[in-house]
C-alpha cells in the first residue's frame, strides 16, 4: 500500500537535508548521501497530501483560526496510540518542539539558571539553552547492558540553587533508549524532591520498535503533573518537519498561562495554516502508514546494524528501541575518531552527524539516519564497507 522503496529526488527542492549538505559538511561530491538531520526521505501519508491538495485547490490562504479540531485530533491520537488521556485545554501549539523548549525556558526560568541535560543528547537542547542565556548542567548517561541509564545520584551532587529545569528526551535521541516506567518515576521523584521543572520531549514516541513500549511521562508519574511540560509533534512521525508545528502539554493552568503569555509576547499566536492542516490530517489518517513505516524501519535498522559492524570490525551500533537514528560506537575499531570521521566523509561521501555535537560521551560515536529508501541505504552501506576495507584486511 505504501512504497517506501521509491526514491524521490529531493535535490533542489529547498530540502535542508540534501541542499545544505555541501555547505555544512564540506562534502561537495555530486553523489554524496545525507545521513545526518532527522528527516526521512519518504512521502508523507496520503491523507496529508489529500488535505493539503484540497487546501491548495480552494486557493485562499488566510489566517488559521480555531485550533479546537487540531487539539482534539492530537488528543485522540495520544489516546489511541499511547493510552494517554490529554485534555485539549492543556495543549499549546508552538512552531516546532525546539521553539517550544525555548518558550518554556522563558516562562519558567531566568537568565543564568541551570538546565539539566542528559548527554549524549539531542544537540538542539544545548543550542536553545545557550541561546536563552541559561546554563547547561550535564548529567552524563551511563551505558549498561547495551542501553543508556541515568545516574541520578551523580546528578544530585552537581545541583546548585540555580538549577531549575530538567530536559528529558523520551525516547532518547541519539541512543534510542526507551525508558522504563520505573526509570521515569525515579526521575520524577528526583525533580519533586529538588523542586525542578521536568520538560519531557516525547517527539519520537511514535517511532518505537516491537519489543519496546513508550510510556508517556504523565502516565508513568502522574504525581509530577504540576511540574511537568511534555512536548510532542507529528513532524518526526510523519516526515512533516517543514510544517514546524509542535505541542506543549501541561495540566498546570498557571504554567500553561505563562507559556501562552510567552507565545503571545513572541508574536507566535497566529499559526501556520499549512502546518496545522497537515499535522491534523496525519493524526487523523496516519495509523496504517505508521504501522507500515515501522515494519520498514525495523528491517532497515537490522540491515544497517549488521552491515556496519561487519564493515568496520570493532564498531557497534547501540540497539535502538526507538527512532531511525543509528548511534554507532567506533572506539573498538582502534581508529582515532578523526580517522573514522574522515573515512565516512571523504571515502564514503556520507554526511553523518558527528558524535561530539551531542555533548559529553559522544566523542567516539557517529549518528546515521537510516530512514531512506532501501536502494539509497544499500548504496551507503556499500560505500561504508569500502571505506573500512583496509581495516578488515589488516593492511
Amino acid at each position: 500500500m505504501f512504497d517506501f522503496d521509491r526514491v524521490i529526488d529531493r535535490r533542489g527542492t529547498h530540502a535542508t537535508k540534501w541542499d545544505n549538505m555541501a555547505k555544512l559538511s564540506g562534502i561537495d561530491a555530486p553523489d554524496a548521501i545525507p545521513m545526518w538531520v532527522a528527516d526521512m526521505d519518504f512521502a508523507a501519508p496520503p491523507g496529508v497530501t489529500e488535505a493539503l491538495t484540497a487546501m491548495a485547490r480552494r486557493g485562499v490562504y488566510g489566517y488559521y483560526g480555531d485550533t479546537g479540531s487540531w487539539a482534539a485530533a492530537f488528543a485522540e491520537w495520544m489516546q489511541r496510540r499511547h493510552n494517554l488521556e490529554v485534555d485539549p485545554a492543556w495543549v499549546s501549539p508552538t512552531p516546532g518542539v525546539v521553539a517550544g523548549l525555548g518558550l518554556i525556558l522563558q516562562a519558567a526560568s531566568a537568565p543564568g539558571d541551570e538546565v539539566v541535560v542528559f548527554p549524549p543528547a539531542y544537540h538542539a537542547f544545548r543550542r536553545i539553552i545557550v541561546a536563552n542565556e541559561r546554563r547547561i548542567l550535564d548529567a552524563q548517561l551511563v551505558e549498561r547492558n547495551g542501553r543508556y541509564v541515568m545516574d541520578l545520584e551523580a546528578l544530585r551532587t552537581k545541583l546548585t540553587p540555580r538549577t531549575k529545569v530538567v530536559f528529558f528526551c523520551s525516547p532518547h535521541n541519539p541512543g534510542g533508549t526507551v525508558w522504563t516506567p520505573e526509570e521515569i518515576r525515579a526521575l520524577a521523584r528526583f525533580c519533586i524532591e529538588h523542586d525542578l521543572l521536568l520538560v519531557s520531549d516525547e517527539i519520537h514516541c511514535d517511532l518505537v520498535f516491537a519489543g519496546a513500549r513508550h510510556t508517556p511521562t504523565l502516565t508513568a508519574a502522574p504525581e509530577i503533573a504540576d511540574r511537568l511540560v511534555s512536548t510532542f509533534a507529528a513532524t518526526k512521525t510523519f516526515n512533516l518537519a517543514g510544517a514546524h508545528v509542535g505541542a506543549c502539554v501541561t495540566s498546570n493552568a498557571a504554567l500553561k498561562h505563562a507559556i501562552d503569555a510567552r507565545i503571545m509576547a513572541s508574536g507566535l499566536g497566529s499559526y501556520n495554516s499549512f502546518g496545522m492542516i497537515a499535522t491534523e490530517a496525519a493524526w487523523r489518517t496516519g495509523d496504517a502508514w505508521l504501522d507500515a513505516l515501522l515494519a520498514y524501519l525495523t528491517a532497515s535498522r537490522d540491515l544497517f546494524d549488521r552491515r556496519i559492524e561487519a564493515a568496520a570490525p570493532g564498531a557497534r551500533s547501540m540497539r535502538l528501541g526507538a527512532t531511525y537514528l543509528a548511534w554507532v560506537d567506533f572506539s573498538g575499531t582502534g581508529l582515532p575518531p578523526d580517522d573514522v570521521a574522515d573515512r565516512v566523509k571523504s571515502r564514503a561521501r556520507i554526511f553523518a552527524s558527528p558524535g561530539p555535537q551531542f555533548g559529553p560521551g559522544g566523542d567516539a560515536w557517529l549518528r546515521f539516519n537510516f530512514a531512506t529508501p532501501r536502494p539509497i541505504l544499500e548504496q551507503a552501506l556499500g560505500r561504508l564497507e569500502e571505506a573500512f576495507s583496509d581495516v578488515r584486511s589488516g593492511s
Side-chain angles (χ1 to χ4, degrees):
M1 185 182 299
F2 309 107
D3 186 6
F4 296 110
D5 280 332
R6 179 166 70 99
V7 175
I8 302 170
D9 187 359
R10 301 181 64 194
R11 294 178 180 86
T13 65
H14 303 284
T16 287
K17 181 178 182 181
W18 290 84
D19 293 337
N20 283 353
M21 181 168 38
K23 179 176 70 174
L24 297 176
S25 71
I27 307 172
D28 56 9
D31 64 347
I33 297 176
M35 300 184 79
W36 61 296
V37 67
D39 174 329
M40 298 188 282
D41 289 318
F42 309 124
V48 172
T49 302
E50 291 165 7
L52 291 174
T53 299
M55 184 180 181
R57 284 176 176 158
R58 280 193 295 276
V60 180
Y61 312 119
Y63 289 112
Y64 180 89
D66 187 3
T67 62
S69 66
W70 179 88
F74 166 68
E76 291 161 12
W77 176 265
M78 294 307 296
Q79 172 62 46
R80 192 164 68 247
R81 302 294 296 201
H82 301 288
N83 197 30
L84 176 64
E85 294 281 355
V86 173
D87 184 338
W90 299 347
V91 183
S92 299
T94 59
V97 162
V98 175
L101 297 176
L103 293 163
I104 293 165
L105 287 179
Q106 294 165 24
S109 67
D113 284 347
E114 294 174 339
V115 182
V116 174
V117 176
F118 295 100
Y122 179 40
H123 50 81
F125 283 0
R126 311 182 78 81
R127 186 174 70 245
I128 202 71
I129 292 167
V130 172
N132 278 280
E133 300 179 327
R134 275 64 170 172
R135 298 175 58 193
I136 298 166
L137 179 59
D138 282 318
Q140 190 169 339
L141 297 171
V142 177
E143 188 177 352
R144 189 175 299 153
N145 299 321
R147 69 189 292 275
Y148 283 127
V149 297
M150 294 175 279
D151 187 345
L152 297 179
E153 290 309 308
L155 172 58
R156 193 186 307 275
T157 67
K158 297 182 176 182
L159 298 178
T160 77
R162 296 307 301 265
T163 311
K164 301 296 182 181
V165 180
V166 174
F167 276 2
F168 178 51
C169 196
S170 179
H172 182 256
N173 169 19
T177 297
V178 177
W179 307 105
T180 66
E182 293 74 21
E183 289 172 316
I184 297 170
R185 279 193 288 272
L187 176 60
R189 287 194 299 269
F190 184 93
C191 291
I192 293 169
E193 177 185 353
H194 295 285
D195 191 24
L196 303 173
L197 175 70
L198 179 57
V199 180
S200 184
D201 173 11
E202 304 187 27
I203 195 169
H204 291 281
C205 68
D206 298 318
L207 297 166
V208 176
F209 297 111
R213 183 175 180 82
H214 173 72
T215 304
T217 297
L218 187 58
T219 299
E223 66 274 14
I224 201 176
D226 280 351
R227 58 175 67 247
L228 172 68
V229 183
S230 301
T231 62
F232 301 91
T235 50
K236 283 288 183 288
T237 304
F238 298 105
N239 203 32
L240 302 172
H244 279 290
V245 176
C248 291
V249 180
T250 182
S251 62
N252 181 325
L255 182 54
K256 183 180 187 299
H257 178 78
I259 294 169
D260 289 343
R262 295 313 309 161
I263 290 172
M264 297 307 294
S266 302
L268 300 174
S270 182
Y271 306 110
N272 174 352
S273 57
F274 294 90
M276 298 296 278
I277 295 295
T279 51
E280 179 175 342
W283 283 322
R284 293 197 182 281
T285 70
D287 290 84
W289 184 92
L290 176 57
D291 292 340
L293 172 72
L294 288 171
Y296 192 87
L297 290 178
T298 297
S300 293
R301 175 199 63 179
D302 295 346
L303 174 66
F304 182 91
D305 288 356
R306 184 170 63 251
R307 293 274 295 273
I308 191 67
E309 291 176 6
R316 63 186 184 89
S317 190
M318 185 170 276
R319 186 64 170 175
L320 298 179
T323 83
Y324 47 77
L325 305 165
W327 184 233
V328 185
D329 177 12
F330 288 90
S331 61
T333 64
L335 299 171
D338 287 349
D339 185 6
V340 171
D342 185 65
R343 288 168 182 267
V344 173
K345 175 181 174 179
S346 302
R347 297 192 192 183
R349 304 180 304 288
I350 289 172
F351 184 17
S353 296
Q357 75 177 199
F358 299 93
D363 288 349
W365 300 71
L366 290 174
R367 194 189 74 173
F368 295 85
N369 176 353
F370 57 80
T372 195
R374 202 71 43 75
I376 295 177
L377 180 59
E378 289 277 7
Q379 184 181 20
L381 289 167
R383 292 189 194 178
L384 289 167
E385 287 166 349
E386 292 176 8
F388 291 94
S389 59
D390 60 315
V391 179
R392 293 197 305 278
S393 67
S395 59

Coordinates of all heavy atoms in Angstrom, one line a residue, residues 17-53:
K17 N 18.2 18.8 4.3 CA 19.0 17.5 4.4 C 19.9 17.3 3.2 O 21.0 16.9 3.3 CB 18.0 16.3 4.5 CG 18.7 15.0 4.6 CD 17.6 13.9 4.8 CE 18.3 12.5 5.0 NZ 17.2 11.4 5.1
W18 N 19.4 17.7 2.0 CA 20.1 17.5 0.8 C 20.8 18.7 0.3 O 22.0 18.7 -0.1 CB 19.2 16.9 -0.3 CG 18.7 15.5 -0.1 CD1 17.7 15.1 0.7 CD2 19.3 14.3 -0.6 NE1 17.6 13.8 0.7 CE2 18.6 13.2 -0.1 CE3 20.4 14.1 -1.5 CZ2 18.9 11.9 -0.4 CZ3 20.7 12.8 -1.8 CH2 19.9 11.7 -1.2
D19 N 20.1 19.9 0.3 CA 20.6 21.1 -0.4 C 21.6 21.8 0.5 O 22.3 22.7 0.0 CB 19.5 22.0 -0.8 CG 18.6 21.4 -1.9 OD1 19.1 20.5 -2.6 OD2 17.4 21.7 -2.0
N20 N 21.6 21.6 1.8 CA 22.6 22.2 2.7 C 23.8 21.3 3.0 O 24.6 21.7 3.8 CB 21.9 22.7 4.0 CG 21.1 24.0 3.8 OD1 21.2 24.6 2.7 ND2 20.4 24.4 4.8
M21 N 23.8 20.1 2.4 CA 24.8 19.2 2.8 C 26.2 19.7 2.5 O 27.1 19.6 3.4 CB 24.5 17.8 2.1 CG 25.5 16.7 2.4 SD 24.9 15.1 1.7 CE 24.2 15.5 0.2
A22 N 26.5 20.2 1.3 CA 27.8 20.6 1.0 C 28.3 21.7 1.9 O 29.4 21.7 2.3 CB 27.9 21.0 -0.5
K23 N 27.4 22.7 2.1 CA 27.7 23.8 2.9 C 28.1 23.5 4.4 O 29.0 24.0 4.9 CB 26.6 24.9 2.9 CG 26.9 26.1 3.7 CD 25.7 27.1 3.6 CE 24.4 26.6 4.3 NZ 23.4 27.6 4.2
L24 N 27.3 22.5 4.9 CA 27.5 22.2 6.3 C 28.6 21.1 6.5 O 29.2 21.0 7.6 CB 26.2 21.7 6.9 CG 25.1 22.7 6.9 CD1 23.8 22.1 7.4 CD2 25.5 23.9 7.8
S25 N 28.8 20.2 5.6 CA 29.7 19.1 5.8 C 31.0 19.3 5.0 O 32.0 18.6 5.4 CB 29.0 17.8 5.3 OG 28.9 17.8 3.9
G26 N 31.0 20.1 4.0 CA 32.2 20.2 3.1 C 32.3 19.1 2.1 O 33.3 19.0 1.3
I27 N 31.3 18.2 2.0 CA 31.3 17.1 1.0 C 30.6 17.7 -0.2 O 29.4 17.9 -0.2 CB 30.5 15.9 1.6 CG1 31.0 15.4 2.9 CG2 30.6 14.8 0.5 CD1 30.2 14.4 3.6
D28 N 31.4 18.0 -1.2 CA 30.8 18.6 -2.4 C 30.6 17.6 -3.6 O 30.3 18.0 -4.7 CB 31.6 19.8 -2.9 CG 33.1 19.4 -3.1 OD1 33.4 18.2 -3.1 OD2 33.9 20.4 -3.3
A29 N 30.8 16.3 -3.3 CA 30.7 15.3 -4.4 C 29.2 15.3 -4.8 O 28.3 15.3 -3.9 CB 31.1 13.9 -3.9
P30 N 28.9 15.2 -6.1 CA 27.5 15.2 -6.5 C 26.7 14.0 -6.1 O 25.5 14.0 -6.1 CB 27.6 15.3 -8.1 CG 29.0 14.8 -8.4 CD 29.9 15.2 -7.2
D31 N 27.4 12.9 -5.7 CA 26.7 11.7 -5.3 C 26.8 11.5 -3.8 O 26.5 10.4 -3.3 CB 27.4 10.4 -6.0 CG 28.8 10.2 -5.6 OD1 29.4 11.1 -5.0 OD2 29.3 9.1 -5.8
A32 N 27.0 12.6 -3.1 CA 27.0 12.5 -1.6 C 25.7 12.1 -1.1 O 24.6 12.4 -1.6 CB 27.4 13.8 -1.0
I33 N 25.7 11.3 0.1 CA 24.5 10.8 0.7 C 24.3 11.4 2.1 O 25.2 11.3 2.9 CB 24.5 9.3 0.8 CG1 24.6 8.6 -0.6 CG2 23.3 8.8 1.5 CD1 24.7 7.1 -0.6
P34 N 23.2 12.1 2.3 CA 23.0 12.7 3.6 C 22.4 11.7 4.6 O 21.3 11.1 4.4 CB 22.0 13.8 3.3 CG 21.2 13.4 2.2 CD 22.1 12.5 1.4
M35 N 23.1 11.5 5.7 CA 22.5 10.6 6.8 C 22.6 11.3 8.1 O 22.9 10.7 9.1 CB 23.3 9.3 6.8 CG 23.2 8.5 5.5 SD 24.0 6.8 5.5 CE 22.7 5.9 6.4
W36 N 22.4 12.6 8.1 CA 22.6 13.4 9.3 C 21.2 13.8 9.9 O 20.8 13.1 10.8 CB 23.5 14.6 8.9 CG 22.9 15.6 7.9 CD1 22.7 15.3 6.6 CD2 22.6 17.0 8.1 NE1 22.2 16.4 6.0 CE2 22.1 17.5 6.9 CE3 22.6 17.8 9.2 CZ2 21.7 18.8 6.7 CZ3 22.2 19.1 9.0 CH2 21.7 19.6 7.8
V37 N 20.6 15.0 9.5 CA 19.5 15.5 10.2 C 18.3 14.5 10.2 O 18.2 13.7 9.3 CB 19.0 16.8 9.5 CG1 18.5 16.6 8.1 CG2 18.0 17.6 10.4
A38 N 17.5 14.6 11.3 CA 16.4 13.6 11.5 C 15.2 14.0 10.6 O 14.2 14.6 11.0 CB 16.0 13.6 12.9
D39 N 15.3 13.7 9.3 CA 14.4 14.0 8.3 C 14.3 12.8 7.4 O 15.4 12.4 6.8 CB 14.9 15.3 7.6 CG 14.1 15.7 6.4 OD1 13.5 14.8 5.7 OD2 14.1 16.9 6.1
M40 N 13.2 12.2 7.2 CA 13.1 11.0 6.4 C 12.9 11.3 4.9 O 12.5 12.4 4.6 CB 11.9 10.1 6.8 CG 12.0 9.6 8.3 SD 10.7 8.4 8.8 CE 9.3 9.6 9.0
D41 N 13.3 10.4 4.1 CA 13.2 10.6 2.6 C 11.9 9.9 2.0 O 11.9 9.7 0.8 CB 14.4 10.0 1.9 CG 15.7 10.9 2.2 OD1 15.5 12.1 2.2 OD2 16.7 10.3 2.5
F42 N 10.9 9.7 2.8 CA 9.7 9.1 2.4 C 8.6 10.1 2.2 O 8.5 11.1 2.9 CB 9.2 8.0 3.4 CG 10.3 7.1 3.8 CD1 10.6 6.9 5.2 CD2 11.0 6.3 2.9 CE1 11.6 6.0 5.6 CE2 12.0 5.4 3.3 CZ 12.3 5.3 4.6
A43 N 7.7 9.8 1.2 CA 6.5 10.6 1.1 C 5.6 10.5 2.3 O 5.5 9.4 2.9 CB 5.7 10.2 -0.2
A44 N 5.0 11.6 2.7 CA 4.1 11.6 3.8 C 2.8 10.8 3.6 O 2.6 10.4 2.4 CB 3.7 13.1 4.1
P45 N 2.1 10.5 4.6 CA 0.8 9.7 4.4 C -0.1 10.3 3.4 O -0.2 11.6 3.3 CB 0.2 9.7 5.8 CG 1.3 9.9 6.7 CD 2.3 10.8 6.0
P46 N -0.8 9.5 2.6 CA -1.7 10.0 1.6 C -2.7 11.0 2.1 O -3.1 12.0 1.5 CB -2.4 8.8 1.0 CG -1.4 7.7 1.2 CD -0.7 8.0 2.5
G47 N -3.2 10.8 3.3 CA -4.2 11.7 3.9 C -3.7 13.1 4.1 O -4.5 14.0 4.0
V48 N -2.4 13.2 4.3 CA -1.8 14.6 4.5 C -1.8 15.2 3.1 O -2.2 16.4 3.0 CB -0.4 14.4 5.0 CG1 0.3 15.8 5.0 CG2 -0.4 13.9 6.5
T49 N -1.3 14.5 2.1 CA -1.3 15.1 0.8 C -2.7 15.5 0.3 O -2.9 16.6 -0.3 CB -0.6 14.1 -0.2 OG1 0.7 13.8 0.2 CG2 -0.5 14.7 -1.6
E50 N -3.7 14.7 0.6 CA -5.0 15.0 0.2 C -5.5 16.2 0.9 O -6.2 17.1 0.2 CB -5.9 13.8 0.5 CG -5.7 12.6 -0.4 CD -6.3 11.3 0.2 OE1 -7.1 11.4 1.2 OE2 -6.0 10.2 -0.4
A51 N -5.2 16.4 2.2 CA -5.7 17.6 2.9 C -5.0 18.8 2.4 O -5.7 19.9 2.2 CB -5.4 17.4 4.4
L52 N -3.7 18.7 2.1 CA -3.0 19.9 1.5 C -3.5 20.2 0.1 O -3.6 21.4 -0.3 CB -1.5 19.7 1.6 CG -0.9 19.7 3.0 CD1 0.5 19.3 2.9 CD2 -1.1 21.0 3.7
T53 N -3.8 19.2 -0.7 CA -4.3 19.4 -2.0 C -5.6 20.1 -2.0 O -5.9 21.0 -2.8 CB -4.4 18.0 -2.8 OG1 -3.1 17.4 -2.8 CG2 -4.9 18.2 -4.2

